[in-house]
């Protein structure tokens, strides 16, 4: 590694050298005012005869592959020395535009009588050449540009136009255009015959940058984060994309849709990129690299192959259309599969993602079944036990050296859904532990399960859905049944004294239409019982005619009346058994909890874990 503080002119005094902005760098993003502030600071220091003006650190490394920016023939006009800009593209772009503006202003002032020779020709800030007499070309380009076959980027097109070799690029980026116009305007207005030489000398000779040249990309990227105090951090994918484009001309349309650079905040881009790569490492080879830039980059560096890129793109599609947005149109992705995903997300059960992704990449038609298996296993485990032992259960399925390693490179055949379900049933049995004489696994699970709404709201919602015989989707709630909506009813009101100790137990919970639920929040059991009976059969004449509760004489709430009298309201038969109780308290809640959990066990263990 080499690091020196050098004047600006030292960046450009070598012929046959240029800089490339890699594809992982975002487009030019400086506001024009920022460029003006830089020049104002330089002018002030020049006026004050300051000894030095620091313009920050520039971090470079050699292009790691063969020069892809020319045709590599003896007749190429591509500079033979190319440095990759790891940090500093914004400033180098501004330097190039300043060089152009100074060059044009200098021509005008010379015609008006100015006698001045700069310490470096201004055009060297925006152009270079293979030989001193060769054709000038842009000194700064972007990945994808080619000196021999043409420039694709706005930046290279602009610098080429500065050198007089082409027209101004049509449709150039707004920030680039605005900055170019602002710099030219500032130079023309602020630099006159009496201060032009002073400004130019100071800018070229006394404005300094710390030039850091790393030995290799890994070193450069390791240094980038601590040096990068004002810009945004890179992601391992952005570096990988640059390498894959150069070596394989690879394209990443699905990954770019997932990362959504234009609409997503940078933290979200980084998080999605890291999750994608980390999951791919587990799925592809059973590796579990740390979620950190350098180890993720190392992993990707070893996987620049067409097959890996195809899987990488499909994985990005999984995350966008299945995990994040639930917009996949595959036949297996029905409402039940969609809401299984939503449930796992609502429970933050991300540890299952690599397993789901593994099936998505190579056995996609089974993903719907795998989702139900995962939901059933996780729900039964979480209802009775903490999750601290769960990660190793999943990791054993995608772990180098494990007898159950199902990673693509693991050598084990991918389990069929029944075999996967058997694996999870075995792990659940191990967790439940030894049984006493004549005891079943279900009986011990029931004893150890104390599911309460104040601790596990989302899991309670799932169990209520299953208990009432619904699929995960229900007409009682919006399309996403895991959002926080006020439709979970505490049958014994939490605010109604005396409060049973088990008031939050699963047996004290049911679903009501949200408006009706709110109207009954603090109602006594006698009134709730009447309303439940009406809701179970809302078109009964006595219910429709009732204006007051028979039990208390109080007026029936308008929300309940509106629902009962609405011809489109469906009957809610899951309330029939509840309304049959003359009283409701601790004993009723315990009995209903046991009955509900038994029914849920039969569905999840008896059906979902037996695909």
């Amino acid at each position: 590694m080499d690091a020196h503080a050098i004047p600006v002119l030292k960046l450009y005094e070598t012929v046959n050298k240029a800089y490339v902005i890699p594809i992982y760098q975002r487009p030019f993003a400086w506001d024009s005012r920022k460029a003006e502030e830089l020049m104002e600071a330089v002018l002030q220091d020049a006026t004050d005869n300051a000894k030095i003006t620091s313009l920050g650190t520039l971090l470079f490394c050699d292009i790691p592959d063969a020069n892809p920016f020319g045709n590599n023939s003896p007749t190429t006009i591509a500079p033979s020395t190319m440095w990759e800009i790891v940090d500093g593209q914004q400033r180098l772009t501004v330097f190039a535009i300043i060089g152009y503006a100074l060059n044009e202003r200098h021509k005008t002032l010379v015609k008006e009588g100015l006698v001045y020779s700069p310490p470096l020709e201004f055009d060297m800030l925006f152009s270079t050449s293979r030989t001193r007499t060769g054709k000038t070309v842009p000194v700064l380009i972007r990945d994808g540009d080619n000196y021999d076959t043409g420039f694709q980027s706005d930046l290279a097109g602009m610098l080429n136009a500065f050198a007089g070799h082409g027209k101004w690029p049509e449709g150039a980026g707004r920030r680039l255009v605005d900055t170019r116009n602002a710099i030219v305007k500032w130079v023309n207005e602020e630099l006159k015959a009496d201060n032009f030489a002073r400004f130019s000398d100071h800018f070229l000779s006394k404005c300094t940058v710390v030039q850091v040249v790393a030995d290799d990309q890994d070193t450069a990227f390791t240094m980038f984060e601590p040096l990068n105090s004002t810009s945004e951090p890179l992601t391992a994918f952005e570096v990988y994309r640059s390498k894959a484009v150069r070596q394989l001309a690879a394209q990443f349309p699905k990954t770019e849709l997932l990362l959504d650079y234009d609409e997503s905040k940078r933290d979200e881009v980084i998080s999605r990129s890291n999750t994608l790569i980390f999951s791919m490492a587990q799925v592809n080879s059973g590796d579990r690299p740390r979620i950190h830039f350098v180890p993720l980059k190392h992993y990707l560096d070893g996987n620049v192959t067409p097959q890996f890129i195809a899987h990488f793109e499909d994985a990005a599609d999984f995350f966008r259309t299945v995990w994040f947005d639930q917009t996949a149109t595959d036949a297996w992705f029905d409402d039940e599969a969609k809401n299984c995903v939503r449930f796992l997300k609502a429970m933050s059960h991300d540890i299952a993602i690599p397993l789901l992704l593994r099936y998505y990449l190579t056995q996609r038609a089974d993903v719907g079944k795998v989702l139900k298996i995962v939901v059933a296993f996780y729900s039964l485990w979480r209802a009775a036990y903490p999750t601290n032992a769960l990660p190793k259960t999943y990791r054993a399925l995608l772990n180098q050296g494990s007898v159950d390693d199902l990673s693509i490179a693991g050598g084990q055949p991918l389990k069929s859904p029944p075999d996967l379900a058997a694996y999870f049933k075995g792990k659940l049995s191990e967790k439940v532990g030894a049984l006493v004489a004549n005891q079943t696994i279900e009986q011990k699970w029931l004893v150890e399960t104390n599911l309460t709404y104040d601790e596990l709201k989302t899991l309670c919602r799932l169990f209520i859905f299953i208990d009432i015989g619904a699929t995960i989707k229900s007409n009682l709630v919006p399309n996403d049944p895991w959002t926080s909506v006020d439709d979970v009813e505490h049958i014994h009101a939490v605010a109604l004294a005396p409060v049973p100790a088990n008031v939050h137990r699963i047996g004290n919970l049911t679903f009501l239409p949200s408006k009706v639920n709110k109207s009954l929040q603090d109602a006594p059991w006698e009134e709730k019982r009447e309303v439940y009976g009406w809701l179970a059969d809302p078109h009964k004449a006595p219910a429709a005619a009732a204006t007051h509760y028979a039990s208390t004489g109080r007026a029936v709430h308008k929300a309940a009346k509106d629902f009962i009298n609405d011809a489109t309201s469906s009957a809610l038969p899951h309330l029939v058994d509840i309304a049959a109780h003359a009283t409701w308290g601790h004993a009723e809640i315990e009995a209903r909890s046991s009955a509900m959990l038994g029914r849920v066990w039969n569905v999840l263990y008896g059906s979902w874990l037996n695909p």
Side-chain angles (χ1 to χ4, degrees):
M1 183 190 73
D2 179 75
H4 291 93
I6 61 172
V8 167
L9 63 84
K10 289 287 186 181
L11 292 168
Y12 303 100
E13 64 181 6
T14 303
V15 176
N16 198 18
K17 175 185 176 184
Y19 304 96
V20 59
I21 301 169
I23 198 170
Y24 56 75
Q25 298 278 19
R26 48 184 187 149
F28 180 74
W30 267 24
D31 184 87
S32 59
R33 182 58 194 157
K34 194 169 184 178
E36 293 172 352
E37 289 171 352
L38 183 150
M39 293 186 294
E40 288 166 0
V42 172
L43 180 58
Q44 184 63 53
D45 281 2
T47 302
D48 296 343
N49 199 28
K51 291 183 178 180
I52 190 172
T53 299
S54 175
L55 298 182
T57 299
L58 303 176
L59 177 58
F60 305 104
C61 66
D62 284 327
I63 301 298
D65 309 310
N67 188 336
F69 308 108
N71 59 20
N72 293 309
S73 72
T75 60
T76 184
I77 59 174
S80 58
T81 299
M82 298 292 298
W83 279 5
E84 183 172 292
I85 306 167
V86 180
D87 188 25
Q89 69 139 325
Q90 313 289 338
R91 278 162 293 167
L92 287 172
T93 300
V94 168
F95 293 171
I97 300 174
I98 291 174
Y100 166 74
L102 293 176
N103 197 49
E104 296 303 302
R105 184 61 174 153
H106 184 231
K107 293 176 185 177
T108 299
L109 292 176
V110 166
K111 291 179 181 178
E112 296 174 0
L114 176 69
V115 178
Y116 170 67
S117 295
L120 179 79
E121 297 300 324
F122 295 121
D123 60 3
M124 293 183 73
L125 274 72
F126 57 85
S127 63
T128 186
S129 58
R130 193 167 179 83
T131 65
R132 292 194 176 275
T133 58
K135 178 182 178 180
T136 55
V137 294
V139 73
L140 181 64
I141 64 172
R142 292 193 71 91
D143 224 338
D145 288 321
N146 189 291
Y147 286 105
D148 296 320
T149 60
F151 303 117
Q152 303 298 316
S153 71
D154 295 343
L155 174 64
M158 180 181 72
L159 269 58
N160 201 41
F162 287 171
H165 300 314
K167 296 180 180 180
W168 180 264
E170 295 184 5
R174 178 182 59 80
R175 287 187 180 271
L176 196 61
V177 173
D178 289 349
T179 300
R180 181 263 187 198
N181 293 341
I183 290 175
V184 170
K185 182 174 183 290
W186 188 93
V187 167
N188 288 339
E189 292 178 353
E190 300 295 331
L191 301 184
K192 312 296 182 182
D194 61 347
N195 67 355
F196 182 87
R198 180 179 297 173
F199 176 91
S200 300
D201 283 345
H202 191 89
F203 175 64
L204 293 170
S205 301
K206 294 187 178 181
C207 284
T208 64
V209 295
V210 176
Q211 175 182 273
V212 181
V213 184
D215 296 332
D216 50 49
Q217 269 195 333
D218 286 348
T219 303
F221 292 127
T222 301
M223 297 175 59
F224 177 71
E225 188 169 350
L227 290 174
N228 185 33
S229 59
T230 58
S231 298
E232 297 174 336
L234 302 175
T235 68
F237 165 70
E238 288 165 333
V239 180
Y240 176 70
R241 176 175 59 177
S242 178
K243 189 180 189 75
V245 167
R246 289 177 186 169
Q247 292 189 9
L248 302 174
Q251 299 297 315
F252 294 90
K254 294 177 182 178
T255 306
E256 290 172 4
L257 276 175
L258 168 69
L259 301 182
D260 194 11
Y261 288 98
D262 292 335
E263 299 297 330
S264 299
K265 294 181 179 179
R266 189 64 183 179
D267 286 349
E268 181 69 14
V269 170
I270 294 170
S271 175
R272 289 190 173 195
S273 171
N274 288 349
T275 299
L276 172 61
I277 299 167
F278 184 81
S279 299
M280 270 299 298
Q282 290 183 268
V283 170
N284 188 62
S285 56
D287 291 319
R288 295 191 65 253
R290 290 179 297 121
I291 298 185
H292 185 271
F293 177 88
V294 172
L296 292 182
K297 176 185 176 296
H298 284 169
Y299 178 79
L300 290 175
D301 282 347
N303 286 283
V304 187
T305 67
Q307 183 186 33
F308 182 86
I309 290 169
H311 280 156
F312 195 88
E313 277 283 270
D314 285 344
D317 207 42
F318 166 85
F319 276 103
R320 184 178 66 86
T321 66
V322 175
W323 191 254
F324 291 124
D325 300 338
Q326 296 91 54
T327 56
T329 58
D330 306 70
W332 60 265
F333 199 57
D334 55 16
D335 286 340
E336 197 162 72
K338 181 184 299 184
N339 285 294
C340 281
V341 170
R342 289 171 170 167
F343 168 77
L344 293 173
K345 287 185 64 181
M347 293 297 296
S348 299
H349 194 50
D350 296 348
I351 194 69
I353 289 176
L355 178 65
L356 298 172
L357 179 58
R358 173 67 179 94
Y359 280 84
Y360 184 86
L361 291 181
T362 59
Q363 208 160 293
R364 191 169 304 183
D366 286 335
V367 178
K369 295 177 182 178
V370 173
L371 275 166
K372 293 181 69 174
I373 291 168
V374 168
V375 167
F377 165 71
Y378 168 72
S379 299
L380 293 174
W381 181 301
R382 185 64 188 94
Y385 311 108
T387 58
N388 57 333
L390 272 179
K392 66 180 181 181
T393 300
Y394 286 98
R395 289 170 184 164
L397 291 168
L398 296 166
N399 191 21
Q400 284 184 339
S402 167
V403 295
D404 291 300
D405 182 10
L406 305 180
S407 64
I408 292 173
Q412 300 296 325
L414 193 57
K415 295 180 186 293
S416 67
D419 287 342
L420 182 67
Y423 169 84
F424 281 123
K425 289 173 77 172
K427 295 300 180 182
L428 182 62
S429 180
E430 290 175 13
K431 184 62 180 177
V432 171
L435 306 175
V436 299
N438 299 319
Q439 187 183 36
T440 66
I441 183 174
E442 175 188 357
Q443 290 169 338
K444 187 170 183 185
W445 178 83
L446 287 171
V447 169
E448 297 183 352
T449 298
N450 182 28
L451 184 59
T452 61
Y453 190 69
D454 54 339
E455 293 183 354
L456 291 167
K457 290 181 172 61
T458 300
L459 192 56
C460 284
R461 294 173 65 82
L462 173 64
F463 280 25
I464 298 169
F465 271 116
I466 293 172
D467 179 63
I468 66 177
T471 60
I472 290 185
K473 186 175 180 180
S474 167
N475 66 337
L476 287 176
V477 293
N479 285 338
D480 182 352
W482 314 117
T483 52
S484 179
V485 291
D486 189 18
D487 57 2
V488 173
E489 160 83 338
H490 281 73
I491 301 170
H492 187 292
V494 176
L496 190 64
V499 183
N502 58 356
V503 70
H504 290 297
R505 277 272 273 165
I506 186 70
N508 193 43
L509 306 176
T510 190
F511 281 135
L512 288 182
S514 58
K515 290 183 179 180
V516 178
N517 187 16
K518 291 177 182 178
S519 74
L520 295 177
Q521 280 182 342
D522 299 326
W525 167 244
E526 293 81 7
E527 292 180 359
K528 284 192 175 186
R529 183 186 182 195
E530 290 187 58
V531 175
Y532 291 173
W534 296 338
L535 294 177
D537 186 6
H539 302 298
K540 259 186 355 183
T547 59
H548 292 76
Y549 294 111
S551 57
T552 64
R554 296 199 307 173
V556 177
H557 197 283
K558 182 178 182 299
K561 290 291 295 181
D562 287 346
F563 186 88
I564 293 166
N565 290 313
D566 185 350
T568 64
S569 297
S570 300
L572 306 178
H574 65 277
L575 298 174
V576 171
D577 290 341
I578 301 173
H581 289 81
T583 59
W584 193 264
H586 185 277
E588 288 79 10
I589 294 171
E590 284 303 306
R592 184 166 178 266
S593 293
S594 295
M596 288 180 69
L597 291 172
R599 289 189 289 268
V600 168
W601 175 274
N602 289 337
V603 172
L604 295 182
Y605 192 88
S607 177
W608 289 26
L609 282 177
N610 283 288

